[in-house]
Amino acid sequence: MEKVVIVEPEIPENTGFIARLAANFDAELRVVNPEFNLSESRKTASGCQDKLRDTEIFDTLEDAIEDLEYVVGTKPGRGTGIEGFRDPENTSLVIGRESSGLSNKELGLCDAVVHIETGEYSSLNQSNAAAI
C-alpha cells in the first residue's frame, strides 16, 4: 500500500492507530478535513509521532487523491469482497468517516471499492478496517 487517506476522521485515537499502521507498512498518511487537531492523535500513535507530523492535510478528497495512481475506497456491503480483490502496484486506500463511511460521490472518485466480509454486523472500527 502506497498511501492511506482518511476522510474527515472524527475520533483522534483512530487516527493515531492508523498512523502507527502507516508507519508499520511504510505508507504515507493523508487526512481530509479532520474534525480535530492531529496532535490529539499522538497518544495512540505510540512511537510514530513523526508520521503524524508529516501527515498532509487536504480540504477535499479530490485534492488528496489527484496524484495517486490507483485508489481503493471501502464501504460495508459495496464493491468487491476484500478476499477476492487483488490490488495492483501503487494502490492507495481511502477510509471514510467513523460515523458514515464514504459518500457515494466519494466512492465514485475511487478506481475500485472493496468491503470486508463480516458476520451479521458489517461495521468495523475505522482503524481495524484499515489494518485488514
Side-chain angles (χ1 to χ4, degrees):
M1 181 180 336
E2 188 171 296
K3 295 176 179 46
V4 177
V5 180
I6 311 170
V7 177
E8 297 181 357
E10 301 157 339
I11 302 171
E13 291 82 3
N14 283 336
T15 299
F17 288 135
I18 294 172
R20 285 176 65 184
L21 175 72
N24 282 321
F25 292 97
D26 198 29
E28 181 184 311
L29 181 60
R30 295 180 176 189
V31 177
V32 177
N33 195 25
E35 292 191 5
F36 51 86
N37 186 305
L38 289 185
S39 66
E40 296 175 49
S41 302
R42 290 186 307 195
K43 181 172 53 175
T44 55
S46 179
C48 302
Q49 285 76 21
D50 58 329
K51 183 62 74 174
L52 284 174
R53 196 173 31 256
D54 296 340
T55 295
E56 289 185 79
I57 299 175
F58 295 85
D59 291 328
T60 67
L61 179 57
E62 291 92 340
D63 292 341
I65 65 172
E66 71 180 349
D67 65 331
L68 303 183
E69 193 170 314
Y70 192 82
V71 178
V72 177
T74 58
K75 186 79 171 183
R78 299 281 298 272
T80 305
I82 198 164
E83 290 177 5
F85 180 73
R86 299 292 169 247
D87 58 323
E89 214 171 299
N90 299 321
T91 295
S92 297
L93 179 66
V94 179
I95 302 287
R97 300 156 196 82
E98 287 95 340
S99 62
S100 60
L102 296 171
S103 69
N104 287 334
K105 179 183 175 191
E106 291 162 340
L107 290 170
L109 297 172
C110 299
D111 297 301
V113 177
V114 299
H115 68 270
I116 299 166
E117 292 144 349
T118 62
E120 206 171 300
Y121 187 70
S122 64
S123 181
L124 291 171
N125 174 278
Q126 185 188 50
S127 62
N128 293 342
I132 293 172

